[in-house]
Amino acid sequence: MSSEGADVAAEVVDVQGDRRWMDLHEQFVKDSKNKEPDVLFIGDSLIARLQQSIVWSELFEPLHCLNFGIGSDTTQNVLWRLENGEIEDIKPKVVVLLIGTNNHAHTAEAVAKGIQAISLYIRSKQPTAHLLVLAIPPRGKNDNPLRAKMKKINQLLAEAIPTIPKAEYFDPKIEFIQADGSLDRSDFCDFLHFTSKGYRKYCKPLADRLSQLLVVED
Amino acid sequence: MQPTNINLLYLTYSRQNTGAIFHLQYVPVGVYVGAAFQLVPEDPTLERNYKGHRDTVTSVDFNPNMKQLASGGMDSCLMVWNFKAQMRAFRFVGHKDAVLAVHFSPSGHLVASASRDKTVRLWIPSVKGESTVFKAHTATVRSVQFSSDGQHLLTCSDDKTLKVWTVHRQKFQFSLSQHMNWVRCAKWSPDGRLIVSGSDDKTIKLWDRNSKECIHTFFEHGGFVHSVAFHPSGTCIAAAGTDSTVKVWDIRMNKLLQHYQAHSGAVNSLSFHPSGNYLITASNDATLKILDLLEGRLFYTLHGHQGPATAVNFSRNGEHFASGGADEQVLVWKTNFDKIDYNEVLQSHKARSQVQPAPHIHDIHPRSPMYRQAVRPLGSEVNTHTEPRDMTNKTPTVTNLGPALFSQHRNGGSESSVGASLHGLDITSGDIEQGIYTLRELQGERQLPYP
């Protein structure tokens, strides 16, 4: 694993041949010109799949949200997307960022640096928007090195993000790890991705925080 | 010689090398009776293509006097287009953010505009460009409409409320506050006793304007409601929004009457034909669709916009309709199909359906010139009237007008520039019952309308 490079923007190269990532990015750029979101979600599959869950229409649709999540994205990919038009023309009141679990090539310190770089970029591009950086949820059925890594990244974020003006490290503080150390499949269907039940637990505190922030902005 | 019926109406676009001009060609529909080719005047035809907005067009409305068309846009401007040839168009500058709705007063002497800047402006649509402004809501104002007697204004907003104001002096009357999310559209019933509103809380509410109560809520589970309207009879309402369907409810029985899944994208705007027999809709799928409410089916699909069609409205007498889009164009169409005896229309449609080949007889669709030639019968005589009409848009000269030059800013802000021209006004004297105002009468003595 490298201790460098998670903060360097990089696009996803289309090795499979269907151009999905770039097409999605281009759609997001278009959406950023035409839509009127109060809240922008950006990140990896944990963000992308939220929109397919019933929790999206329950908790987030009424808040006028846009979802720019793409599965398998790393910090470099999100940085590239942001630098290439995805937050050019919109003026959301809040940006929600969840990224880092796919940065397998980087140490926890490097990933935290990457997330910081993204946060600074968002704040510079959207001076009036509040930024929420979400805690990365645990993964894997039982304890494993990635659990420790995500915990370490979260600790580093908890220290670093509050130093950025109008940015907030947000941990829903849901204890997903059970007494025997395992994750429940009814929360994480494949021990990585949330089920609707898992999303509801994770997102309810988030939706409450968003409602607070949106009222204040009014 | 057997009469052959051909009905093909299409629009083609070609972008000239400068990229600046849309060149529309129009080939009208016709019928061969004997050897003569005659026009069947029942398909809608495109009459004008106005360019001047510098961003998405959000709203269009005809002046009841039929001499002008107003349009609002994301470029913060109100445009007033004059139908008389050679007459210049007016661009009214004054709003500080997107204009989301425009509406002419019943007398045609005023235009109201609603904006993201939280204000409503009342304009006198003349070369003098005067307007009066008031802060109507605490958030984006989505919609504004005069009552049919011209005395009141109805507004609605992202602040989740609807408000009613007098036109004279813009005095706040009351607000309706039961929606839980942005209210996108609100309309008066034809008799002014009811109000219908559509919201991002996925409901359509019916209100009694006298008791101020919400008398019924219709649930639109599919998504946000973008547009609502009363049927001219006042007995039904139509609503459409992000789930791309159009629904018609009977408000006496609170019953869903019709449900159209014609569009493949969110529906942004709808308008009833004054006869009550047709509904026109504008959608993100770039089409306008005309729904035949008597038959309960799709009647026409019009392709004229490149990109989302965002606004559509029939003229007061139904002979025309106008549309606006994300392509910054304002199109004016002649309805035509409302003129024919309905039985005649059915007869000619039956005749059409026996003709080979397809396309679908109700689709009006851009076709390549190659295709068109293939369908024309051989050896036909073509009336010169059927030569493509040059629809090159001769963009009218635009005059920029606005309150910075003429009127006082009324929301307590620090801007106040009064043009000398306010004092030497040459306008018809105030006759408030007829809704004709001078700017000074409009303004009167005002406090901020806020409760």
Side-chain angles (χ1 to χ4, degrees):
Chain A
M1 283 197 287
S2 168
S3 55
E4 299 286 328
D7 56 355
V8 177
E11 62 182 271
V12 165
V13 176
D14 179 24
V15 293
Q16 288 149 9
D18 61 8
R19 208 179 181 269
R20 287 183 308 121
W21 191 87
M22 191 55 76
D23 284 330
L24 259 181
H25 163 68
E26 285 168 4
Q27 183 59 50
F28 292 158
V29 173
K30 246 202 203 160
D31 286 348
S32 79
K33 291 184 178 23
N34 294 326
K35 306 230 165 144
E36 302 171 287
D38 276 347
V39 185
L40 175 66
F41 284 79
I42 189 155
D44 52 31
S45 57
L46 294 170
I47 291 290
R49 291 163 69 128
L50 176 56
Q51 191 168 18
Q52 309 312 318
S53 156
I54 192 132
V55 173
W56 182 261
S57 61
E58 283 174 11
L59 294 181
F60 297 117
E61 222 182 1
L63 304 180
H64 298 99
C65 300
L66 257 193
N67 188 314
F68 285 1
I70 301 187
S72 304
D73 260 16
T74 60
T75 52
Q76 306 95 287
N77 303 141
V78 167
L79 191 55
W80 190 95
R81 290 199 279 125
L82 291 171
E83 288 179 357
N84 284 272
E86 285 184 18
I87 46 169
E88 257 345 280
D89 285 314
I90 35 173
K91 286 207 93 53
K93 297 185 169 135
V94 185
V95 178
V96 177
L97 173 68
L98 174 54
I99 192 70
T101 199
N102 294 318
N103 277 68
H104 301 298
H106 301 107
T107 61
E109 290 75 11
V111 179
K113 253 179 95 185
I115 296 173
Q116 255 191 292
I118 296 171
S119 305
L120 288 167
Y121 186 80
I122 292 172
R123 289 290 311 119
S124 74
K125 271 295 196 172
Q126 297 283 338
T128 55
H130 200 93
L131 174 64
L132 288 181
V133 179
L134 300 186
I136 304 173
R139 55 188 290 173
K141 178 172 183 231
N142 294 307
D143 198 17
N144 65 83
L146 288 178
R147 290 234 196 130
K149 183 182 175 189
M150 299 313 141
K151 215 167 157 202
K152 182 82 177 124
I153 297 172
N154 289 341
Q155 271 168 6
L156 292 168
L157 292 176
E159 289 161 12
I161 300 298
T163 66
I164 303 174
K166 277 188 101 141
E168 188 181 316
Y169 168 71
F170 188 80
D171 183 352
K173 292 199 169 50
I174 306 292
E175 194 40 77
F176 285 109
I177 300 172
Q178 301 178 103
D180 66 354
S182 70
L183 285 189
D184 190 340
R185 266 200 78 212
S186 70
D187 290 330
F188 294 92
C189 53
D190 58 1
F191 306 117
L192 170 60
H193 296 108
F194 286 113
T195 58
S196 282
K197 178 175 169 217
Y199 269 128
R200 206 172 271 118
K201 288 185 192 171
Y202 184 80
C203 291
K204 187 68 178 60
L206 173 62
D208 291 341
R209 182 73 188 117
L210 285 176
S211 298
Q212 284 175 347
L213 285 170
L214 292 174
V215 169
V216 165
E217 297 292 340
D218 271 341
Chain B
M1 183 169 167
Q2 285 293 330
T4 37
N5 293 342
I6 304 149
N7 282 282
L8 260 188
L9 173 66
Y10 72 100
L11 303 162
T12 62
Y13 291 101
S14 63
R15 193 188 279 267
Q16 296 183 359
N17 290 337
T18 59
I21 300 166
F22 282 110
H23 183 85
L24 287 162
Q25 290 183 315
Y26 149 62
V27 174
V29 222
V31 174
Y32 284 88
V33 179
F37 185 81
Q38 292 176 353
L39 288 176
V40 173
E42 71 230 35
D43 294 332
T45 54
L46 183 67
E47 294 222 317
R48 299 282 165 80
N49 168 5
Y50 289 122
K51 302 196 77 203
H53 276 291
R54 294 146 175 169
D55 204 333
T56 301
V57 178
T58 56
S59 177
V60 290
D61 190 40
F62 286 88
N63 189 325
N65 70 11
M66 279 314 293
K67 299 201 182 111
Q68 294 172 324
L69 177 77
S71 61
M74 305 280 258
D75 57 7
S76 313
C77 295
L78 164 72
M79 303 279 319
V80 175
W81 312 93
N82 290 292
F83 293 136
K84 213 162 123 182
Q86 317 310 332
M87 254 203 91
R88 48 185 61 210
F90 301 136
R91 174 184 290 123
F92 293 103
V93 170
H95 277 298
K96 301 198 169 26
D97 206 332
V99 173
L100 299 179
V102 298
H103 192 233
F104 267 99
S105 63
S107 66
H109 289 91
L110 294 175
V111 181
S113 59
S115 170
R116 187 169 281 141
D117 68 10
K118 309 174 189 172
T119 70
V120 169
R121 278 186 183 262
L122 292 176
W123 308 80
I124 296 176
S126 72
V127 69
K128 291 191 161 85
E130 295 133 331
S131 69
T132 189
V133 61
F134 64 100
K135 188 177 183 205
H137 287 275
T138 53
T140 298
V141 189
R142 292 272 171 187
S143 170
V144 65
Q145 194 197 26
F146 285 90
S147 55
S148 49
D149 61 7
Q151 302 293 310
H152 291 97
L153 281 172
L154 172 64
T155 60
C156 66
S157 166
D158 286 2
D159 69 8
K160 310 176 194 170
T161 70
L162 291 80
K163 290 190 178 157
V164 172
W165 314 78
T166 60
V167 174
H168 179 54
R169 300 189 180 185
Q170 304 90 61
K171 288 216 301 242
F172 170 79
Q173 299 292 284
F174 60 87
S175 72
L176 303 171
S177 309
Q178 279 188 40
H179 278 297
M180 313 264 278
N181 209 316
W182 300 355
V183 188
R184 296 259 183 182
C185 188
K187 298 271 171 68
W188 296 101
S189 62
D191 63 9
R193 292 190 299 164
L194 300 176
I195 288 168
V196 66
S197 60
S199 166
D200 283 4
D201 66 7
K202 304 189 187 177
T203 69
I204 295 129
K205 285 184 183 285
L206 208 50
W207 314 79
D208 180 316
R209 164 261 192 286
N210 293 311
S211 70
K212 330 279 198 279
E213 283 174 355
C214 172
I215 56 182
H216 194 76
T217 300
F218 297 94
F219 291 90
E220 175 49 275
H221 297 287
F224 299 164
V225 182
H226 281 173
S227 189
V228 291
F230 272 96
H231 188 275
S233 66
T235 59
C236 307
I237 56 169
T242 53
D243 77 347
S244 67
T245 66
V246 180
K247 295 191 174 76
V248 180
W249 281 275
D250 181 318
I251 58 172
R252 297 163 302 183
M253 299 182 293
N254 291 330
K255 190 177 111 123
L256 180 68
L257 289 179
Q258 296 183 352
H259 176 188
Y260 297 89
Q261 292 202 275
H263 280 292
S264 54
V267 180
N268 298 310
S269 180
L270 55 80
S271 172
F272 277 99
H273 186 271
S275 68
N277 294 338
Y278 305 101
L279 196 54
I280 188 168
T281 55
S283 164
N284 278 354
D285 67 12
T287 68
L288 306 173
K289 286 189 192 260
I290 295 168
L291 306 173
D292 179 335
L293 301 174
L294 295 181
E295 295 279 304
R297 58 159 191 176
L298 174 63
F299 196 24
Y300 285 106
T301 296
L302 301 172
H303 301 259
H305 285 286
Q306 298 197 320
T310 50
V312 71
N313 218 342
F314 275 108
S315 61
R316 304 296 198 265
N317 64 9
E319 287 184 4
H320 293 85
F321 56 91
S323 64
D327 56 8
E328 304 171 10
Q329 296 189 95
V330 173
L331 305 179
V332 179
W333 310 71
K334 195 147 198 302
T335 305
N336 291 324
F337 56 79
D338 61 334
K339 280 283 162 258
I340 309 299
D341 177 273
Y342 197 68
N343 286 321
E344 273 185 52
V345 172
L346 288 178
Q347 288 305 322
S348 98
H349 283 184
K350 254 189 236 149
R352 283 193 226 192
S353 68
Q354 288 152 15
V355 172
Q356 298 302 322
H360 190 286
I361 56 175
H362 297 309
D363 256 331
I364 298 171
H365 188 70
R367 299 247 181 256
S368 73
M370 294 276 289
Y371 179 82
R372 175 184 41 122
Q373 263 134 45
V375 177
R376 278 196 176 265
L378 301 166
S380 57
E381 290 196 45
V382 179
N383 186 307
T384 50
H385 288 299
T386 66
E387 289 302 330
R389 188 161 88 208
D390 181 7
M391 293 288 284
T392 322
N393 179 54
K394 296 161 180 60
T395 308
T397 325
V398 175
T399 302
N400 290 317
L401 304 161
L405 304 173
F406 292 114
S407 71
Q408 291 188 359
H409 202 71
R410 283 263 161 188
N411 68 357
S414 54
E415 299 163 66
S416 63
S417 55
V418 181
S421 56
L422 252 192
H423 298 290
L425 294 180
D426 178 23
I427 307 177
T428 51
S429 63
D431 180 349
I432 288 158
E433 282 79 67
Q434 287 185 34
I436 302 169
Y437 295 89
T438 62
L439 188 67
R440 307 191 98 174
E441 276 145 357
L442 265 185
Q443 290 171 343
E445 254 170 74
R446 285 187 62 250
Q447 304 130 4
L448 280 173
Y450 250 90

